[in-house]
Amino acid sequence: MGVILLPALKKSIIIIGTMKKLGICIGLVCLTTLSAGIYGMVHDQVTYTISAEYFTKFKYEQFGFEPGGFGGHRPTVAIIGFLATWWFGLFIGSVFGVLGLVFIERARLVSVILRAVRLAFALTAIAGIAGFLYGRFSLIHTGVTWWLPENLMDKAAFITVGSIHNFGYAGGLLGLLSGTLYIVANRKGRISRHLPAPS
């Protein structure tokens, strides 16, 4: 009788373990989504400080927002930042979460995915800084082919912020790719308990 029940018991243990890992991954996806939204809020507060016109003459129209409906410019900019980034956090978290299911140890799953997420956010931030430097010291002198609103009071600031946003999107994609490769590279140690944790 015990021999007959053993396979069923093992299968139950595997299912329970998988469900626990799935629950962890869903939690990480939620965390990544929220973190991306908050990142966008902070990011746009910074870029609004550099060029308010980028929002008042472009982003408000793009999103169909009026600052009066949200309590002023800063709250409106924060909402725009959240809406512009939460979905990418959801996408990144989902990709990393699915890849993380290959890990047997739940602690290692969490550790590797969180490091991949930190890597993705770091690369996105670095790309934004690169965009600022490129915009401030190159594009404002060479000009751009993007659409620019008429009657800009500070064209250089508008171009700089546009460069920051463009580089930020590229940084997000680079972060997604780098985080994915990091998780895949660490899959080699998913079974062994003796391999060192990634630094």
Side-chain angles (χ1 to χ4, degrees):
M1 189 67 173
V3 175
I4 297 176
L5 292 177
L6 187 57
L9 180 59
K10 288 183 177 180
K11 184 176 181 180
S12 298
I13 293 174
I14 292 174
I15 292 175
I16 292 173
T18 301
M19 293 301 293
K20 288 183 177 179
K21 289 196 297 181
L22 184 60
I24 291 173
C25 289
I26 291 175
L28 289 170
V29 169
C30 293
L31 176 63
T32 305
T33 302
L34 180 60
S35 298
I38 293 173
Y39 176 89
M41 294 171 71
V42 175
H43 176 277
D44 280 11
Q45 292 299 318
V46 173
T47 53
Y48 177 81
T49 301
I50 298 172
S51 175
E53 288 182 301
Y54 188 82
F55 293 87
T56 59
K57 296 183 178 180
F58 174 45
K59 285 295 183 178
Y60 285 179
E61 183 176 347
Q62 184 183 44
F63 280 81
F65 285 172
E66 290 290 338
F70 297 97
H73 289 292
R74 290 290 182 177
T76 305
V77 169
I79 293 171
I80 289 174
F82 186 90
L83 294 177
T85 53
W86 73 267
W87 60 270
F88 198 71
L90 174 63
F91 181 63
I92 288 178
S94 299
V95 172
F96 290 177
V98 169
L99 292 174
L101 290 175
V102 302
F103 294 100
I104 291 179
E105 297 177 3
R106 292 192 292 274
R108 184 167 175 78
L109 181 158
V110 173
S111 175
V112 172
I113 291 183
L114 285 180
R115 290 178 184 181
V117 169
R118 287 198 294 268
L119 175 63
F121 275 92
L123 289 174
T124 302
I126 291 171
I129 295 172
F132 169 79
L133 296 174
Y134 182 63
R136 178 65 71 182
F137 298 106
S138 179
L139 287 181
I140 64 173
H141 302 295
T142 61
V144 296
T145 57
W146 323 326
W147 170 84
L148 295 174
E150 297 179 0
N151 304 318
L152 284 173
M153 299 294 292
D154 192 341
K155 182 178 177 181
F158 188 98
I159 290 175
T160 299
V161 170
S163 178
I164 293 171
H165 281 252
N166 290 340
F167 270 69
Y169 296 134
L173 292 174
L174 178 61
L176 171 63
L177 176 60
S178 300
T180 298
L181 292 176
Y182 178 81
I183 294 172
V184 171
N186 280 277
R187 290 174 61 189
K188 295 179 181 179
R190 64 187 184 276
I191 296 177
S192 174
R193 295 176 181 269
H194 303 292
L195 290 180
S199 58

